[in-house]
């Protein structure tokens, strides 16, 4: 039985106490973080819609307009084949725009938020990964190629 759900006639088995938010939790409430998250979601939605929409248009044209897609362009190259190859170009451009946008718009803001988070920590306070202690050494050895 879960600690979170009880029957209506029973008292709650779990009653959380209020604790101060950790710096990691407090960063979610900052306007810079909210703006960064909203911009990322908007960019991801638009780029996904354009990439998937282009592919969907290609599939629909090939299904419902075969005469249009079979028009010859040069030699044996048809409009359908050119648009099919164009899908690779669209995906490559989408990936390139994503990386460029992340490096120019999102990464600097994320680095700034991370540095603010690091400055909020007390001098002796360690990050959660450092609190666990050293990682056990693996017995595995990796060969070079």
């Amino acid at each position: 039985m879960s600690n979170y759900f009880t029957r209506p006639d029973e008292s709650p088995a779990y009653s959380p106490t209020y604790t101060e938010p950790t710096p990691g939790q407090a960063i979610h409430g900052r306007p810079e973080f909210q703006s960064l998250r909203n911009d990322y979601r908007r960019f991801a939605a638009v780029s996904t819609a354009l990439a998937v929409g282009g592919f969907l248009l290609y599939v629909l044209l090939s299904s419902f307009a075969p005469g249009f897609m079979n028009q010859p362009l040069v030699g044996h190259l048809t409009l359908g084949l050119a648009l099919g190859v164009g899908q690779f170009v669209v995906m490559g451009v989408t990936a390139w725009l994503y990386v460029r946008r992340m490096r120019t718009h999102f990464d600097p803001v994320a680095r700034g938020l991370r540095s603010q988070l690091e400055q909020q920590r007390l001098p002796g306070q360690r990050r959660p990964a450092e609190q666990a202690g050293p990682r056990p050494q693996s017995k595995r050895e990796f060969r070079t190629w």
Side-chain angles (χ1 to χ4, degrees):
M1 176 100 190
S2 172
N3 291 337
Y4 299 102
F5 300 103
T6 59
R7 294 185 179 138
D9 57 340
E10 294 179 358
S11 63
Y14 175 77
S15 60
T17 58
Y18 176 77
T19 58
E20 283 292 318
T22 63
Q25 293 169 338
I27 202 163
H28 294 285
R30 292 186 180 201
E32 299 95 359
F33 181 80
Q34 298 293 329
S35 173
L36 181 72
R37 186 175 61 181
N38 292 337
D39 289 346
Y40 175 77
R41 286 181 179 175
R42 188 178 312 112
F43 175 73
V46 168
S47 61
T48 301
L50 288 176
V52 171
F55 183 72
L56 184 62
L57 179 66
Y58 172 74
V59 170
L60 291 175
L61 283 173
S62 64
S63 295
F64 297 111
F68 176 73
M69 296 292 273
N70 285 330
Q71 291 179 1
L73 292 178
V74 177
H76 292 287
L77 180 67
T78 63
L79 184 62
L81 286 173
L83 290 176
V85 171
Q87 290 300 311
F88 291 105
V89 174
V90 167
M91 292 300 154
V93 168
T94 302
W96 175 74
L97 287 174
Y98 176 83
V99 170
R100 189 182 77 167
R101 179 86 173 185
M102 290 298 125
R103 287 183 181 162
T104 59
H105 290 90
F106 296 108
D107 288 349
V109 176
R111 276 190 229 105
L113 287 170
R114 182 178 293 136
S115 68
Q116 289 175 6
L117 181 66
E118 293 292 329
Q119 289 173 357
Q120 285 181 351
R121 283 201 180 100
L122 299 175
Q125 189 178 11
R126 296 187 299 181
R127 293 190 300 212
E130 295 169 350
Q131 291 174 357
R135 294 175 65 191
Q137 293 297 321
S138 174
K139 306 276 188 281
R140 195 184 242 183
E141 292 184 17
F142 297 100
R143 296 180 291 160
T144 58
W145 290 88

